[in-house]
Amino acid sequence: MAFPDHSDLPARTMLTSEGSVSRSTHIVADPQTQRLRTLTPIECERLNGFPDDWTAGMPERLRYFTMGNALVVPLVKAMGKRISALAEDEQRS
């Protein structure tokens, strides 16, 4: 696992422990200051394909927990469309 996490590569799976600091926590270099920091709740929502502030109103720790182990919505949708297209092609054959 790279340290800090690369912002130009696909992200690793977020875990429910994301709000704490452990060896699985996503640590990134701030693009402006180059200081190391953890992801914000909004960045976690974006990584998982949720709208900004989808978890707003929850305590911050719960916002991180909610994003941990979440399915990446755009990826699941893309896989579903591809499976559906393959099934349709197979039925036509």
Side-chain angles (χ1 to χ4, degrees):
M1 163 168 37
F3 182 85
D5 287 279
H6 296 283
S7 61
D8 59 340
L9 298 174
R12 297 178 288 108
T13 300
M14 299 196 69
L15 303 177
T16 54
S17 62
E18 200 65 42
S20 63
V21 178
S22 69
R23 62 187 182 89
S24 63
T25 302
H26 287 73
I27 305 291
V28 295
D30 187 279
Q32 295 170 340
T33 65
Q34 294 307 306
R35 293 183 67 172
L36 297 181
R37 63 174 181 81
T38 58
L39 296 176
T40 66
I42 289 177
E43 289 170 327
C44 294
E45 292 166 341
R46 290 174 181 171
L47 279 177
N48 283 322
F50 291 97
D52 286 5
D53 286 324
W54 186 76
T55 58
M58 296 179 182
E60 188 167 281
R61 185 145 172 85
L62 186 54
R63 292 182 77 181
Y64 284 111
F65 183 85
T66 302
M67 290 296 102
N69 299 338
L71 297 175
V72 180
V73 176
L75 182 58
V76 173
K77 287 172 91 173
M79 288 188 297
K81 286 180 183 179
R82 181 68 179 131
I83 290 169
S84 181
L86 288 170
E88 288 175 14
D89 288 348
E90 192 172 292
Q91 285 179 346
R92 284 189 225 127
S93 300

